[in-house]
Amino acid sequence: MTTTSTPRVCRGIGEFRAALGERLAALPGEASLGLVPTMGALHEGHGHLVRLAREENALVAVSVFVNPLQFGPDEDYERYPRTPEADLELLARFGADLVFAPTVEQMYPDGEPLVRVTSGRLGTVLDGASRPGHFDGALTVVNKLLNIAAPPVPGPFRAYFGEKDAQQLLLVRRMVADFDLPVIVRPVPIVRDADGLALSSRNRYLDAGQRRAALVLPGTLRALAAGELDLEAARARIDAADQVRLDYLVVVDPRTLAPAAPGPGALALVAAHVGGTRLIDNLAL
Ligand code: PAF
């Protein structure tokens, strides 16, 4: 089923739960629900998440919430792009039924939550090492969103996450398994621009020169996957690029994030600052 009408926007948790309950109850049988958590500033990458949710579920809800808990004090929380009107137009096109767009006060009425999800060992390496507390904040809000959206009536409940944030996806899967959350996690492949750059809401921070410079990230991942460069040479190539400061380039076992030899089954992960913008990307080898 394809929807082109403007989705209903819910602001409060109670309003969203009631709308979900009503819409699900109006659908025949044990209707399935797909939830796509986002921080807005939507692009075609989100389009793939929503469209897959549309294909697989009777009802599709998208949350749009820039979660302060997952930003460090020196990060871009304040200037993170917020484009609510454009988001709504895109969500109508992508086929969402409901949008949950709460304020910070609605999500955290008592201020910062006292109890948080701890991402553990896997949340302190790679992006977790560079962005302390980031994954605890991201998992805390994902946990809340899954609880808020959990259907009040029986039926499959699926949540959609992009493979670009490979470490986040792994941690969400671990949280769902470790806490026995009644939700099916659905990964969605990375979407790239024609030049190979992975789509990201942060790409809009890049000026034309930085955008060109950023292509060293997917280019180097491809060269690594093709065996044209070893890891050391790949790191050197990124380090040598103008305006690019490498944070990490690693090859890991995608289930554990432990270092792995480049080869089938391994995942290459990269993070780098391009100008003032931190970008991540990854490629299965
Ligand atoms: O990947 C994101 O956009 C965010 O980390 C998420 C999952 C919406 C939680 O804020």
Side-chain angles (χ1 to χ4, degrees):
M1 187 181 79
T2 314
T3 313
T4 48
S5 56
T6 305
R8 169 165 169 197
V9 181
C10 304
R11 300 281 168 204
I13 293 173
E15 182 193 350
F16 179 52
R17 279 190 170 141
L20 278 175
E22 275 162 32
R23 299 275 180 110
L24 285 170
L27 290 164
E30 297 194 345
S32 54
L33 170 66
L35 174 71
V36 183
T38 81
M39 297 206 300
L42 302 179
H43 49 67
E44 263 311 306
H46 298 105
H48 278 59
L49 297 170
V50 181
R51 288 195 188 101
L52 184 63
R54 178 76 282 160
E55 271 170 43
E56 295 185 341
N57 300 281
L59 191 72
V60 174
V62 177
S63 64
V64 176
F65 178 63
V66 185
N67 171 39
L69 294 191
Q70 67 190 77
F71 290 79
D74 300 325
E75 293 184 357
D76 56 345
Y77 173 66
E78 295 299 339
R79 77 172 184 124
Y80 194 83
R82 289 162 174 86
T83 56
E85 287 88 17
D87 288 350
L88 204 55
E89 273 172 36
L90 283 175
L91 288 173
R93 196 148 63 70
F94 297 157
D97 298 306
L98 289 174
V99 177
F100 177 47
T103 61
V104 173
E105 291 70 31
Q106 279 163 325
M107 282 297 269
Y108 303 117
D110 302 322
E112 291 216 350
L114 199 56
V115 178
R116 297 183 189 215
V117 176
T118 305
S119 53
R121 187 172 47 80
L122 291 180
T124 57
V125 296
L126 303 174
D127 257 39
S130 306
R131 306 183 65 191
H134 166 68
F135 288 116
D136 291 2
L139 289 186
T140 299
V141 83
V142 170
N143 199 303
K144 270 177 82 78
L145 291 167
L146 294 175
N147 282 313
I148 290 167
V153 290
F157 177 30
R158 302 185 179 89
Y160 294 78
F161 295 89
E163 288 180 348
K164 186 167 81 66
D165 291 304
Q167 193 173 1
Q168 170 176 277
L169 173 62
L170 174 65
L171 282 162
V172 168
R173 284 180 146 147
R174 284 283 9 131
M175 175 176 74
V176 166
D178 292 347
F179 290 1
D180 300 299
L181 300 181
V183 62
I184 301 157
V185 175
R186 299 285 288 125
V188 182
I190 296 178
V191 182
R192 298 181 181 279
D193 265 330
D195 59 9
L197 191 66
L199 296 192
S200 161
S201 303
R202 289 189 169 98
N203 288 354
R204 63 188 82 197
Y205 296 151
L206 303 171
D207 65 27
Q210 290 165 343
R211 202 177 180 302
R212 272 194 303 279
L215 295 180
V216 73
L217 305 180
T220 305
L221 289 175
R222 284 196 305 271
L224 197 58
E228 291 162 17
L229 295 174
D230 63 17
L231 199 50
E232 213 172 307
R235 285 183 182 131
R237 177 163 156 184
I238 294 176
D239 261 334
D242 198 27
Q243 305 204 66
V244 181
R245 184 163 50 84
L246 181 64
D247 183 353
Y248 60 77
L249 173 64
V250 289
V251 176
V252 298
D253 177 332
R255 293 157 305 182
T256 60
L257 301 181
L267 184 70
L269 296 166
V270 67
H273 287 89
V274 180
T277 304
R278 189 169 186 282
L279 299 178
I280 56 173
D281 198 353
N282 66 75
L283 193 65
L285 299 184

